[in-house]
Amino acid sequence: MIKAIGAILLASGAALIGISASSELTARVRTLSMFCRALEIMRSEIAEMLSPLEAVLQKLGREMPEPFCSFFSECADEMKRRGDIPFGIIWRKQLTYNTALTLGAREKEELVSLGNVLGRYSADEQRISIERTSRTLESILSVADSDRRRLGGLYTKLGIICGISLVIVFI
C-alpha cells in the first residue's frame, strides 16, 4: 500500500514539473503579447493624443489585466510620489521587482532602454523608441510562441514519462 502511494506521488510530482515548465512557456508568451499590446496603446496615446506619460500609465493600469495593471499603476503612483527620480529608474525598478511578469533578460533589457526614453524626449522620439521596442518584442514573441507550440506538449509528456520511469525503477 505504501509503495503504491509512493509511486503515485512520484509520478504526480514528475508530471507536475513537466506541466509547470509548459505553463512557464505559456506565461512568457502571454506576457510578451500583453506588453506588445500595451506598447501600441502607449504609442497612440503619446504620439497621437499627446497625453502625458503619467496619464498613459494610469490608463494602462485601469485597462490591462493583472499583473500588468499593477505594473503600470505602480509606475504611475511612484512617478507621482517621487517626481524627483527619473522615470527610467522607476520603470527599471518595477521591471526588476515585479516577479509576476515572466520576462527574460533580453526583453527586460529592451524595456529598460525604452524606460530611459519615456517622458524624457519629444513625443516623436518617444514614438520611434516605442515602435523599435515593439518590433523587437514582437520578434521575441514569435520565437517564444514557436517554442511554446514546439516544446510545451513535449515538457508535459516528458514529465509524465519520467514519473512513470521512476516508478518502474523504484518498484
Side-chain angles (χ1 to χ4, degrees):
M1 179 68 168
I2 293 177
K3 282 186 178 183
I5 292 172
I8 290 170
L9 289 175
L10 193 60
S12 299
L16 285 175
I17 290 172
I19 291 168
S20 174
S22 176
S23 69
E24 284 179 23
L25 292 173
T26 303
R28 182 167 180 246
V29 168
R30 180 178 180 267
T31 298
L32 286 169
S33 64
M34 283 297 175
F35 262 111
C36 287
R37 181 175 152 212
L39 289 178
E40 183 58 34
I41 294 169
M42 196 180 281
R43 185 199 59 75
S44 66
E45 286 289 323
I46 290 174
E48 296 168 13
M49 304 296 284
L50 299 176
S51 300
L53 181 59
E54 187 177 334
V56 173
L57 293 172
Q58 288 171 344
K59 178 179 180 171
L60 288 169
R62 288 188 306 270
E63 293 180 0
M64 299 296 285
E66 276 296 336
F68 308 99
C69 69
S70 54
F71 169 78
F72 290 113
S73 294
E74 286 292 321
C75 284
D77 293 344
E78 191 78 15
M79 193 175 169
K80 188 183 300 182
R81 264 194 318 268
R82 306 190 59 182
D84 56 332
I85 296 178
F87 179 72
I89 294 172
I90 295 169
W91 181 261
R92 181 182 309 116
K93 177 184 162 196
Q94 291 302 319
L95 283 170
T96 303
Y97 294 116
N98 194 328
T99 57
L101 301 174
T102 51
L103 294 169
R106 184 169 174 218
E107 299 95 273
K108 281 184 183 178
E109 183 181 307
E110 286 294 323
L111 289 167
V112 164
S113 67
L114 172 66
N116 292 329
V117 174
L118 291 175
R120 238 175 122 180
Y121 297 102
S122 70
D124 196 43
E125 290 171 329
Q126 290 180 65
R127 177 189 56 80
I128 290 168
S129 185
I130 290 170
E131 287 173 349
R132 181 190 55 78
T133 303
S134 184
R135 281 192 306 272
T136 303
L137 288 184
E138 284 172 1
S139 70
I140 294 171
L141 172 61
S142 69
V143 171
D145 191 41
S146 171
D147 287 348
R148 180 191 55 83
R149 281 185 272 122
R150 186 172 46 97
L151 299 174
L154 177 67
Y155 287 167
T156 302
K157 291 172 188 165
L158 279 175
I160 293 169
I161 290 170
C162 286
I164 293 171
S165 300
L166 287 172
V167 168
I168 291 171
V169 166
F170 288 121
I171 289 185

